[in-house]
């Protein structure tokens, strides 16, 4: 079992930045692909970014590319999502998911149904 806890959300003005953290307990996170997803009210959960177990491969949704950066510190069992130039349309609950994959797949890592473990989410609100 892997327990995931997200943190770092909050209220920020348009153009501002936030760094989300996803901290794991129960297992060594380096064996897991970790993905960030978000869900706005009335919308489906959508892919934001993913990172391979070793951190060497990353993928981003088109909406996140050039603004968001996913990194990981396996010594701290934590994955980060640095979000810059935030827009009101980035407002959502952000979730991290983890899955133990034998190899990294961009297609698989962008699918919410591909993840085994989820955190409880952290609210990000971008508003002036």
């Amino acid at each position: 079992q892997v327990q995931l806890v997200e943190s770092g959300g909050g209220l920020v003005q348009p153009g501002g930045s936030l760094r989300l953290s996803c901290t794991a307990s129960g297992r060594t996170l380096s064996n897991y692909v970790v993905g960030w997803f978000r869900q706005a009210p009335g919308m489906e959960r959508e892919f934001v970014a993913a990172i391979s177990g070793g951190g060497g491969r990353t993928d981003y949704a088109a909406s996140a590319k050039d603004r968001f950066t996913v990194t990981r510190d396996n010594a701290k069992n934590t994955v980060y999502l640095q979000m810059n130039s935030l827009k009101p349309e980035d407002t959502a609950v952000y979730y991290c998911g983890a899955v133990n994959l034998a190899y990294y797949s961009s297609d698989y890592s962008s699918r919410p149904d591909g993840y085994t473990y989820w955190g409880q989410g952290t609210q990000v609100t971008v508003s002036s």
Side-chain angles (χ1 to χ4, degrees), residues 39-64:
Q39 189 166 17
M43 304 294 287
E44 292 188 353
R45 191 168 295 191
E46 66 172 2
F47 172 70
V48 176
I51 187 166
S52 61
R57 291 190 61 180
T58 57
D59 283 290
Y60 297 91
S63 59

Side-chain angles (χ1 to χ4, degrees), residues 9-11 18 20 37-46 48 68 83 86-95 121-127:
L11 174 64
L18 283 174
L20 306 184
F37 293 76
R38 65 187 183 187
Q39 189 166 17
M43 304 294 287
E44 292 188 353
R45 191 168 295 191
E46 66 172 2
V48 176
F68 295 1
M83 304 187 297
L86 283 162
K87 306 174 182 180
E89 51 263 43
D90 294 317
T91 296
V93 178
Y94 283 70
Y95 298 89
T122 185
Q123 176 70 47
V124 171
T125 302
V126 184
S127 175

Side-chain angles (χ1 to χ4, degrees), residues 7-124:
S7 61
L11 174 64
V12 64
Q13 292 187 343
S17 298
L18 283 174
R19 189 178 79 157
L20 306 184
S21 298
C22 172
T23 301
S25 60
R27 294 285 175 87
T28 301
L29 200 59
S30 60
N31 296 327
Y32 292 80
V33 170
V34 174
W36 284 98
F37 293 76
R38 65 187 183 187
Q39 189 166 17
M43 304 294 287
E44 292 188 353
R45 191 168 295 191
E46 66 172 2
F47 172 70
V48 176
I51 187 166
S52 61
R57 291 190 61 180
T58 57
D59 283 290
Y60 297 91
S63 59
K65 203 165 290 186
D66 299 327
R67 296 189 301 128
F68 295 1
T69 303
V70 59
T71 59
R72 65 192 302 157
D73 185 343
N74 285 335
K76 296 182 177 179
N77 242 22
T78 299
V79 173
Y80 305 98
L81 184 68
Q82 177 68 43
M83 304 187 297
N84 299 327
S85 303
L86 283 162
K87 306 174 182 180
E89 51 263 43
D90 294 317
T91 296
V93 178
Y94 283 70
Y95 298 89
C96 65
V99 59
N100 190 338
L101 293 178
Y103 59 91
Y104 183 82
S105 163
S106 295
D107 288 341
Y108 192 89
S109 299
S110 65
R111 292 166 37 190
D113 62 355
Y115 287 80
T116 307
Y117 303 103
W118 291 95
Q120 82 292 345
T122 185
Q123 176 70 47
V124 171

